[in-house]
Amino acid sequence: RREGCSAVRCSSFHPGAAADAAARAAAERMCAPAWFVPGYMKAATSFVFDAIAHHPQVLPALRGPQFKETGVYFDKEMKRPDALRYRLSSFPFIEEGEPFITGDGTVYYVTDRNAIHHIARDNPHAKAVIAVRDPVERAWSEYRFVYHSFASRGSFDSIALAAVQPGSRLHRVRELCASNRSTEEVLSVMRRGGMGRNSALLGQSVYFPDVHRWIQAWGRDRVMVVPAEELQGPRQPEVISSIYRFLGLCDYNTSGLPKVHSTKVAVKESHKITPKTRQFLRDFFEPINQRLYDVLGRDLGWSQLTYDKKKRRRRR
């Protein structure tokens, strides 16, 4: 065995009560997906997925955009009469003892209430890698990414500040975090009635309830949280190698990895984030971020980040 490898653990698909005999027989021989990259838009989730998929021991899924997001563990798909066959046809055939694993990068599993449990039924040893990013920079990047949709609604500043004004749902979330109320209370506020597009722009940056839920359901040894800021610069190879080790993969040269995806969209000057709003939102998110740091047991340093406008990057 090469240095850095661990045994690739195989768990066969759970057949369920409605599966036919042929599907059950196939499920008994086939390894279920072993890794997942649930996450958030513009938080380096796609880069993490690509970095894992780049490893030669990783075989791609057979369904979904770019063979990344299969969506097979959402309730809608799990309730299909042919749910087992559908899952089996979504991933490559890997038998126990083979040195390969496959996975699923469906980002919205991170907030889905039931996907986490559906996955665990198929593979109780599956692992998740969740990328998070400075909340303000993630939201600003998302605004630019879907600028065609946001442009008619106003500037980033106007949309973001309206979403956090007193009486808003996000303001209530901040109050709960600042007063150290339970994660369940925060989740109940965030889920109440669903968020509109404008509120969701910042709501997606409230990570800790989802991270807490995944760690609580799967355990710390099966959930890895990666700050996007550590995926750029000199630490990138070290961080990617740590992801490989976490998944039980052999050491592998990361020099051929694609670059971190960047958002290059022309935004009207009057619609761009201003330094004043960036600092206001950074202060607004501080108690929310602290709850994430408490869950992780470490400070990600987002309050110390500065923004270099010329180089368009964050620096500590």
Side-chain angles (χ1 to χ4, degrees), residues 218-260:
W218 284 15
R220 291 184 182 275
D221 60 328
R222 291 172 51 209
V223 179
M224 182 179 189
V225 177
V226 180
E229 292 76 17
E230 295 182 359
L231 293 170
Q232 301 187 57
R235 285 209 62 202
Q236 186 192 90
E238 174 192 345
V239 175
I240 298 302
S241 292
S242 71
I243 294 174
Y244 290 163
R245 288 193 298 273
F246 173 70
L247 297 178
L249 298 170
C250 298
D251 291 338
Y252 186 65
N253 190 332
T254 62
S255 60
L257 287 176
K259 293 183 178 180
V260 176

Side-chain angles (χ1 to χ4, degrees), residues 30 109 112 117 137 159 165 206-207 253 259 281 313:
M30 183 172 169
Y109 287 158
D112 191 87
H117 304 296
E137 301 308 324
I159 292 173
Q165 64 183 335
V206 181
Y207 311 121
N253 190 332
K259 293 183 178 180
L281 292 175
R313 68 184 182 191

Side-chain angles (χ1 to χ4, degrees), residues 102-215:
T102 189
D104 189 336
T106 305
V107 293
Y108 292 116
Y109 287 158
V110 77
T111 56
D112 191 87
R113 302 186 195 195
N114 297 321
I116 189 172
H117 304 296
H118 294 319
I119 293 168
R121 287 185 72 200
D122 267 355
N123 190 345
H125 312 293
K127 293 184 176 181
V129 182
I130 303 174
V132 294
R133 181 183 179 185
D134 168 33
V136 183
E137 301 308 324
R138 191 218 61 78
W140 168 229
S141 183
E142 180 183 341
Y143 177 87
R144 301 198 317 274
F145 185 66
V146 287
Y147 182 57
H148 64 280
S149 175
F150 281 116
S152 62
R153 305 181 195 182
S155 66
F156 176 86
D157 286 16
S158 64
I159 292 173
L161 294 176
V164 299
Q165 64 183 335
S168 68
R169 192 179 311 185
L170 283 175
H171 194 274
R172 177 58 179 155
V173 166
R174 184 185 191 275
E175 289 179 330
L176 292 173
C177 291
S179 57
N180 204 31
R181 302 293 283 272
S182 72
T183 302
E184 288 68 28
E185 285 183 87
V186 175
L187 274 171
S188 68
V189 171
M190 293 187 68
R191 288 171 173 166
R192 196 173 298 154
M195 287 192 175
R197 185 64 182 272
N198 290 358
S199 295
L201 178 64
L202 288 176
Q204 273 207 66
S205 292
V206 181
Y207 311 121
F208 86 89
D210 299 322
V211 172
H212 171 81
R213 187 169 56 87
W214 277 75
I215 290 176

Side-chain angles (χ1 to χ4, degrees), residues 82-100:
D82 63 341
L84 178 59
R85 283 186 173 273
Y86 187 68
R87 298 201 307 284
L88 293 175
S89 67
S90 299
F91 300 100
F93 188 89
I94 301 172
E95 289 188 280
E96 186 169 8
E98 294 185 316
F100 302 107

